[in-house]
Amino acid sequence: MPLDPHRLLGLAFASADALFEIDAEGRLSFAVGATAALAPGGETALIGRPWRDLIAEADRPMAEALFAGLGDGGRRGPVTVALAGQGAAQLSAFRLPQNGGRTSCALTFAPHAAAGPPASLPDRRGFEDLVKTALEAGQASRQDFEVALVEMAGLSQAVGSLPAEVGAALSRRLTGALRAESHGGAGATKLGEDRFALLRPKGAEAPEGLAARLSQMLSADGRPLDVKATARLVPLEGEASPTRVVRAIRMVLDDFIRDGAQLGAPQSLSEVLNQSIRRTLDKAGALGAAVAQRRFRLVYQPVVELKSGAVHHYEALVRFTGDESPFPLIRMAEELDLIEELDRAVIEQAARRLAQEAGGDLKIAVNVSGRTITSPAFIDGVLKLLDQPAPTAGQLMIELTESYAIDDLPQADRHLRALRDKGVQICLDDFGAGAASLDSLRRLAIDVVKIDGRYVRELQHGARESTFVRHLAHMCNELKVKSLAEMVETPEVEDAVRRAGIDFAQGWLYGQPSEQPTPPAPRGGARPAARRQGAVETWG
Ligand code: C2E
Ligand code: MG
Ligand code: MG
């Protein structure tokens, strides 16, 4: 059959609103279709212009990575990009072999896509939501997906050793590349300093191809970095419901964050489910027994008032074995309805510790899960505890953690008010870590906002974080809520949070969590020597 150009155009427009071609220099050499939406003057005005003019700045690194990863005969996309003018579109690219390095592109306008998707990666919870939505949509369209676990060992160290601007440019490029590799350009998340996860159409290619393309991005000022990307794929096939798959993926991500890629990702979804269910049941049994038999201890970390340098109170953190972080077990306890009993047992233990110093000035903050706070039985128990002879009201505080979204905010608010009436102060933990933070601050009776450590630790790196922290401090001030920065590790970060107007600070700079409430060792310099407990009696 002869290659009739007219017919080919018809076929191309069956799935695109506009078609254009980019030459080897990155300029538009051809444009046809609904191009008036891209530039006034349409097709003719576009010829000779750099492709970058078409796409919003935030999405250019992604488009660049998309084009850079094209081999002869290769097709990539679609990814959703914000257009430089208005709106958003799905962009796919194809490189015809022996076509002089020219790239053929198809754009389909996407009126419902959020114009200007953020140039950063969604957080983990956002990613999990995205996996679920994609799986649900995929069930209808029969599209299968996989999750790629990507590790770039040594990346954060390498970025840290670069001049700030160069490091920031590398991060932008890498973020763009990860987005370009992911479903719709939005299915990538950062799991830790050097670890990422991507949702992708299943079977696109072997993991080595992905790793090689990402490795190519790892250069600064034209020189390659001593960092290599490795990738593992977890296919999401099978009949399991999207909810169940997401649950299994959560466990896989937990394992990956903890152990990295070297342990070998599971080969199939049923293996994931089997492994995680077996492991979960084992651990759940052990965890349930540990909670029931009170086989845990509390460690205490000081929180200082920045103005005076005096300890304000101590946060109690649970430990099951050694000094290991309890976080994975806490997550599991939340999933498996064990958290309320644990939170209750922790409060009882903290109350006993306070009772040892009845009349003293020790104050302890305990973590309570967002899942527990809506339970009437839990609140009744705490209120009873506070009525007991050794008066601990005024010495006990609660940090509401949001690792589990609070499903009934009005109920949580009623419970928090009942506790506050008894003199218990309420801190909203991990502020900014989850999508629900602002809503919680707006709708709950809160005394203190604790800014998530990820923003605080990165204060030394960039203006973006410090703007964020400064504005949060300002907002807290306006709302007459105190602010607390966690994970303050260095004097520089302490200075930055103090300058931002934050009231309280916590972190390794003042002390690791320890068996007994221990005030920070005095540091040289202008800061007043820390006392075990300051003159500050209340938050407000
Ligand atoms: P969180 O409440 O945000 O606790 C702060 C975490 O940061 C603690 O981890 C602490 O050891 C760590 N940390 C403190 N200072 C620094 C620092 O300067 N740098 C860094 N990198 N980390 C620092 P931990 O003890 O592993 O606890 C993890 C999470 O587990 C807690 O986060 C909290 O959400 C949860 N958790 C801990 N104990 C309990 C508990 O008794 N009940 C409940 N529901 N959750 C708990
Ligand atoms: Mg906490
Ligand atoms: Mg926290």
Side-chain angles (χ1 to χ4, degrees):
M1 202 185 314
L3 266 182
D4 171 2
H6 217 71
R7 175 179 280 159
L8 288 181
L9 206 58
L11 294 171
F13 277 122
S15 67
D17 295 318
L19 306 166
F20 56 91
E21 189 183 62
I22 303 170
D23 67 17
E25 273 72 53
R27 295 186 179 278
L28 300 184
S29 49
F30 174 82
V32 63
T35 47
L38 299 173
E43 292 159 22
T44 34
L46 283 171
I47 303 303
R49 283 176 61 183
W51 67 259
R52 305 175 123 260
D53 286 1
L54 302 187
I55 290 175
E57 192 176 346
D59 282 344
R60 285 179 199 155
M62 172 168 65
E64 206 161 312
L66 189 83
F67 299 144
L70 274 177
D72 269 358
R75 201 184 98 97
R76 301 191 67 201
V79 293
T80 304
V81 291
L83 297 172
Q86 247 186 0
Q90 294 196 320
L91 168 70
S92 308
F94 175 67
R95 175 112 8 113
L96 211 56
Q98 292 155 356
N99 195 27
R102 285 192 290 269
T103 305
S104 315
C105 300
L107 268 191
T108 310
F109 297 118
H112 301 302
S120 55
L121 302 177
D123 66 9
R124 179 165 167 184
R125 199 179 285 176
F127 177 75
E128 287 168 6
D129 289 347
L130 200 124
V131 171
K132 187 152 177 257
T133 313
L135 287 172
E136 281 161 356
Q139 277 183 337
S141 61
R142 301 188 164 268
Q143 185 178 8
D144 281 333
F145 291 97
E146 64 193 14
V147 167
L149 306 171
V150 176
E151 180 159 20
M152 303 187 196
L155 175 68
S156 50
Q157 213 180 349
V159 172
S161 66
L162 294 170
E165 255 318 295
V166 182
L170 171 63
S171 299
R172 273 196 303 275
R173 227 172 41 242
L174 201 55
T175 300
L178 289 161
R179 289 180 59 203
E181 297 292 347
S182 72
H183 173 57
T189 186
K190 182 170 178 174
L191 294 171
E193 294 290 7
D194 302 337
R195 289 175 188 161
F196 305 85
L198 313 174
L199 178 70
R200 315 191 328 143
K202 183 168 163 254
E205 63 180 342
E208 291 77 18
L210 169 65
R213 267 197 310 283
L214 290 173
S215 293
Q216 271 176 9
M217 292 285 158
L218 294 168
S219 63
D221 279 345
R223 280 190 303 276
L225 295 178
D226 189 19
V227 179
K228 207 168 158 273
T230 50
R232 301 288 169 110
L233 303 179
V234 183
L236 307 184
E237 87 280 320
E239 331 60 65
S241 72
T243 315
R244 230 172 133 221
V245 174
V246 170
R247 212 171 259 208
I249 280 300
R250 223 174 259 160
M251 305 275 177
V252 172
L253 297 184
D254 278 342
D255 286 355
F256 179 55
I257 289 171
R258 203 181 48 239
D259 303 324
Q262 80 277 9
L263 287 190
Q267 294 306 304
S268 70
L269 182 65
S270 48
E271 199 188 325
V272 172
L273 285 169
N274 286 343
Q275 270 183 11
S276 71
I277 287 167
R278 210 173 34 241
R279 244 190 349 247
T280 305
L281 289 177
D282 285 353
K283 282 197 204 157
L287 179 62
V291 173
Q293 296 161 19
R294 305 297 189 253
R295 274 193 278 114
F296 61 82
R297 49 190 235 289
L298 296 184
V299 290
Y300 301 90
Q301 187 179 32
V303 173
V304 303
E305 194 213 25
L306 280 166
K307 217 181 275 165
S308 64
V311 173
H312 184 272
H313 69 276
Y314 294 85
E315 178 177 8
L317 295 157
V318 76
R319 293 290 178 266
F320 292 98
T321 47
D323 278 333
E324 256 168 63
S325 171
F327 198 59
L329 287 175
I330 298 281
R331 287 280 304 271
M332 179 180 295
E334 286 174 331
E335 297 277 348
L336 301 171
D337 291 333
L338 289 165
I339 193 68
E340 182 174 335
E341 194 179 350
L342 173 65
D343 284 345
R344 203 189 152 123
V346 166
I347 288 211
E348 284 166 4
Q349 187 156 322
R352 276 199 296 279
R353 185 69 187 74
L354 285 171
Q356 285 172 15
E357 306 211 12
D361 50 11
L362 178 66
K363 279 188 189 173
I364 295 178
V366 292
N367 290 283
V368 171
S369 162
R371 173 115 210 226
T372 306
I373 202 67
T374 48
S375 154
F378 175 77
I379 294 303
D380 283 350
V382 178
L383 293 176
K384 281 205 189 92
L385 197 71
L386 292 169
D387 280 339
Q388 279 178 10
T392 45
Q395 288 178 269
L396 184 70
M397 294 180 222
I398 280 182
E399 285 193 13
L400 190 57
T401 71
E402 283 210 320
S403 45
Y404 205 97
I406 301 171
D407 52 8
D408 186 349
L409 282 170
Q411 170 90 325
D413 187 52
R414 277 192 297 279
H415 287 171
L416 293 178
R417 284 178 196 279
L419 293 173
R420 283 176 101 206
D421 286 347
K422 292 274 183 184
V424 177
Q425 284 168 338
I426 312 295
C427 174
L428 188 59
D429 208 348
D430 307 321
F431 191 84
S437 290
L438 270 180
D439 218 29
S440 300
L441 176 59
R442 205 164 56 86
R443 296 174 62 187
L444 298 178
I446 299 290
D447 299 288
V448 192
V449 160
K450 193 174 205 176
I451 298 168
D452 192 60
R454 89 180 66 169
Y455 302 108
V456 177
R457 285 172 74 195
E458 288 177 7
L459 270 179
Q460 54 214 53
H461 295 321
R464 210 183 160 89
E465 273 69 25
S466 69
T467 307
F468 183 78
V469 171
R470 219 175 39 247
H471 283 280
L472 270 183
H474 186 73
M475 180 172 73
C476 290
N477 204 11
E478 298 245 301
L479 292 172
K480 309 251 176 310
V481 169
K482 295 283 180 186
S483 52
L484 194 164
E486 64 177 0
M487 296 199 192
V488 173
E489 297 178 354
T490 64
E492 291 74 34
V493 171
E494 181 187 64
D495 277 349
V497 295
R498 185 183 279 123
R499 274 202 309 277
I502 299 285
D503 300 295
F504 301 96
Q506 174 182 11
W508 295 340
L509 182 65
Y510 313 100
Q512 302 266 347
S514 62
E515 303 295 324
Q516 294 299 327
T518 312
R523 276 186 288 149
R527 213 169 66 90
R531 283 167 283 134
R532 151 78 184 281
Q533 191 72 36
V536 193
E537 290 304 309
T538 60
W539 297 101

